[in-house]
Amino acid sequence: MRLWLELKHGLARLLRRTRDERELQDEVQHYLEQSIAERVRNGASEEDARRAVRHANGNALYMREEVRSFGWEQRVETLTSDIRYAWRRLRQTPAFTIVAVLSLALGIGANTAIFSLINATLLKPLPVERPEELAYVRSSSSSFSYPDLDELRRLNTAFSGLAAFGGITGSLRVGDETSLVVGAIVTGNFFSVLGVNAAAGRVINTDDDRTPGAHPVAVISHRLWQSRFVGSAQAVGRDVRFNGQSFTVIGVLPPGFHGAVQGQVRDIYVPMMMQAVARPPRGQYSGDMDANLLNRRANRWLTAIGRLRAGNTPEQALAQLTVISQQQERLQPANGQRISTAAVIMVKDGLGDRTQLVTVSRLLLFVVGAVLLIACVNVANLTIAQSGARRKEVAVRLALGATRHRLIRQLLTESIMLSALGATTGWVLSWSAIRAMRAAPTPEGALPITLDFSMDARVLLYTAVLAVATGILFGLMPALTSSRPQLVPALKDQGTGKSDSRAGLGGRSTLVVAQLALSVVLLVTAGLFLRSFARTQSLQAGYDTERVAFSPLRINLLRYTRAQGRTFYRQAVERIEAIPGVESASLARWAPLEGGNSIRSLLVQGIEGPPEVFSREVSDPTVLAANAVNVNTVGTRWFATMGIPIAQGRDFTVQDDSGSTAVAIVNEAFVEKHLVNAPAIGQRVSLDGPKGPWREVVGVVRNFKVTSLTEVPQPLLFLPLLQSHETGMTIFVRSRSGSTAAIENQVRSEIQSLEHNLPLSSVNAMSALVSTSLYTARAGARLLLAFALMALLLAAIGLYGVVAYTVSRRTREIGLRMALGAQPNAMMFGVVRQAATLAGVGILTGLVVALGTTRMLDAFLFGVESYDGATFATIPFLLLAVAIAASVVPARRAMRIDPIRALRAE
Amino acid sequence: MDEPSTDVIQGTLDMLILKTLSLEPMHGFGVARRIEQITRDVFKVNGGSLLVAFKRMEREGLLESEWRETENSRRAKFYNLTRAGRKRLEQERADWSRRAGAITRLLATEA
């Protein structure tokens, strides 16, 4: 009730100011007149009565002020008048305003951009219904098989719905174009568990997931709709070919929905029952086998996501799922193939290893935080410089009775308005930068996650809070110091002598030193990353990256049989070698630096070893068991095609086929590790245990990079394709000329004419893979350099400001000296020397801090120590040069001071 | 010796205003004069404080106001007690009795 009355009266006051003001005037007037009349009635004279009443109550103005200042609306009024005043002031000093706003725009904009990145990848919840209720379910080997998950789905009560999904990569043919898409295969309840509806058409439901092979429908993402279907309204209902089979598009998803895992973008969704076509078994010819994985417990490839029922915790769910697995094992034993649940992870906690992402985010936040800090210091310095000019105004207001509190509030309003303008400009800058980044997306596979920026309400709030905090940060100190001037000298427009200016200068100098120190830290960091990148870039891959083009031939998506596969590969190589301009062509299962590897068990004849046999595909082979080796299957003359030198023995030839001796080729690292006792050529190894087949080593090749450019050479073993036929081969083409540009199109059209359902996104030179593997290092180094240069620019502006201030403060002194005969040059050098000293202190401080903190960067650097001498030695000189350059302009102004005018000025 | 203070005891201005207005609706000056009269000049209110108190109590819902003509045909803002105001008056009166009584008792005890 009271609140309502407060609100009502306050609003009435605000909206009907004039009427309310007049009423107040009347009321006060009436009171005073009546008081005076009363006294007169009691015998006093008019004069005395008036005086007595004024003595008792104050005059009318004072009384009105007393009454008026009560109430919340008054604060609103003062705020609006503060804002209007601040706006006027800022417009009166355009130079100051523009420099300040730009500095803040850089600082706040950088923070907004980085935060929107963190928002999209780490913070934003999935765009689904009530994401806090969702949880992932993982097995002890991380994935589940379909039969296992189906059991859990049917028998659990902890979840109101449990859905399964798996990743698929398939060929999508829309109209005449075939390309690769990354998507997901999902159970019928997937979209209803998540609570996602289609933006057009409909999503997959349980009716689309009943009979294997009977539901060729697909749902596409918004961005796929825009890119491949050009946002056409006829997309829904259209027929496309996925992995060679006809599918109907039944719906388009809303923008922003990318799948069930944050950071992984899925562009197409098909029902689980279509698995045989959409997600054929990998590594083997799916055309030769029953491609149905839906009844095979041994194939684990699915993750589950479920919505917890109210009151159920993830721990309870985990317990229940474990019990269900145990019970089912008793009822229907599955020879140890049934796998149990290992973890129920809330979706908001994220799937997979996010520690690296978090570390990178922290680093980026630190860097942009430093940039913002430097910008703040700049604006604080500028504000202090400004306050010198306003001393008189402040003194007048204080003399008229303004409280210090009121003054500070008004000055802070100015600061916050400044930072609000900076934040708005920064937001626009950030938005444009992000648009530019979106137009030039990162190459496929360059980053472990899909880079996304999301400038939503959360980012807006962050920016707003940052703006206010920034305003207070750089505005508070100047406001506090400038609201306490010495009144009399200020009113008389006099300088207050040395003490005042020295204190101000001391404060500003400290700030500039801090700015320079921070710049040093950032520059050193950027320098280290740049050197690391340069080192990485100069590494040799070990094969011809410019002359060799590659293209994955994903025939396994099209359910080829082994016989069809052999024929296809043979024909592909023949037809491509027939292209003029092509020197040779060959095949390999894994392309170097692309990120796939086979690991198989290894036995060397004559050396004891564990008899276990295994074979699996991994993406990160760095941690290998002692008896495991990285295996690649390659065609004839692959090494020659790639330009990999043969150190001993020979390359594979057509004679190495299924009729002849089983052979293998190894690299030098393999020889060093496994074949030390005797000459390599002629030794025998087995990948299938003691029973063999034993393969004879016929060649040793030089080491080359397989996983990353910075890797330590690892043992590699190669099998000939004709003796170990596999699917999923990539073709490599060696050009006669120095580059692949001339042959790329022809290669593509030859392959496409051989099989037009094959997705061929591009035929690229191997250097593209190298470039992709360097992407993170390059982008990171460039980004850091950009921020460090921003910081340097801001610090230089800060230094310029302080030097200019010093010169203006010492105008009299300099004028006097020059009148007494000092050389103008000497004056200038004096100023520059002072600036250099300041810079020197800042640089030294920065170096010390940098030495202490760059240790944390060790994990990111390659070939460069975190205390790298070259970097630490050159940065100080660079900074000193910039500092001197920044101080030269105001210093030259010192030279040109007219002594007479200087002495006359006060 | 200095003149005795005519300031209102801190915290009692509301009570004095409420009591005065409980007799009849009045404008600002009227309330001031009535308080001076009835307390025989022991308490003299300051105009500014009085008007601020009116504003505050109106916002608290204890008073309501309207512009009327006085007997001199002048326009003035008259204040009146609301029901909440009357209740508050009773509360304040009871509270004052309790406290004043306690002080009186304390002062009356022999040394």
Side-chain angles (χ1 to χ4, degrees), chain B residues 1-104:
Chain B
M1 193 184 121
D2 293 321
E3 276 181 31
S5 163
T6 55
D7 290 340
V8 165
I9 296 179
Q10 197 173 36
T12 59
L13 181 59
D14 283 16
M15 188 173 60
L16 297 178
I17 293 175
L18 288 171
K19 175 62 185 174
T20 314
L21 288 177
S22 73
L23 305 172
E24 62 169 322
M26 244 181 270
H27 52 68
F29 174 70
V31 171
R33 195 182 53 168
R34 184 66 65 84
I35 291 178
E36 276 177 34
Q37 275 182 346
I38 296 185
T39 62
R40 296 190 214 137
D41 284 346
V42 170
F43 291 129
K44 291 196 183 174
V45 290
N46 170 281
S49 322
L50 190 69
L51 292 181
V52 170
F54 281 146
K55 190 172 177 183
R56 181 171 36 80
M57 289 198 282
E58 188 169 9
R59 299 249 177 137
E60 284 180 38
L62 305 173
L63 302 178
E64 51 193 12
S65 64
E66 63 173 341
W67 282 86
R68 290 214 295 241
E69 276 205 8
T70 66
E71 53 272 8
N72 308 346
S73 308
R74 301 282 313 281
R75 265 176 47 90
K77 196 173 188 186
F78 278 74
Y79 292 89
N80 193 9
L81 277 193
T82 63
R83 202 156 45 146
R86 283 185 207 285
K87 221 187 323 179
R88 173 69 71 88
L89 175 58
E90 285 316 305
Q91 284 171 359
E92 298 256 341
R93 189 203 289 260
D95 202 42
W96 173 257
S97 299
R98 184 175 61 86
R99 292 162 143 209
I103 294 178
T104 312

Side-chain angles (χ1 to χ4, degrees), chain A residues 815-837:
Chain A
L816 194 63
R817 285 206 180 155
M818 293 217 288
L820 287 178
Q823 292 295 345
N825 274 345
M827 292 291 97
M828 182 178 95
F829 285 139
V831 172
V832 172
R833 199 177 45 237
Q834 224 183 18
T837 321

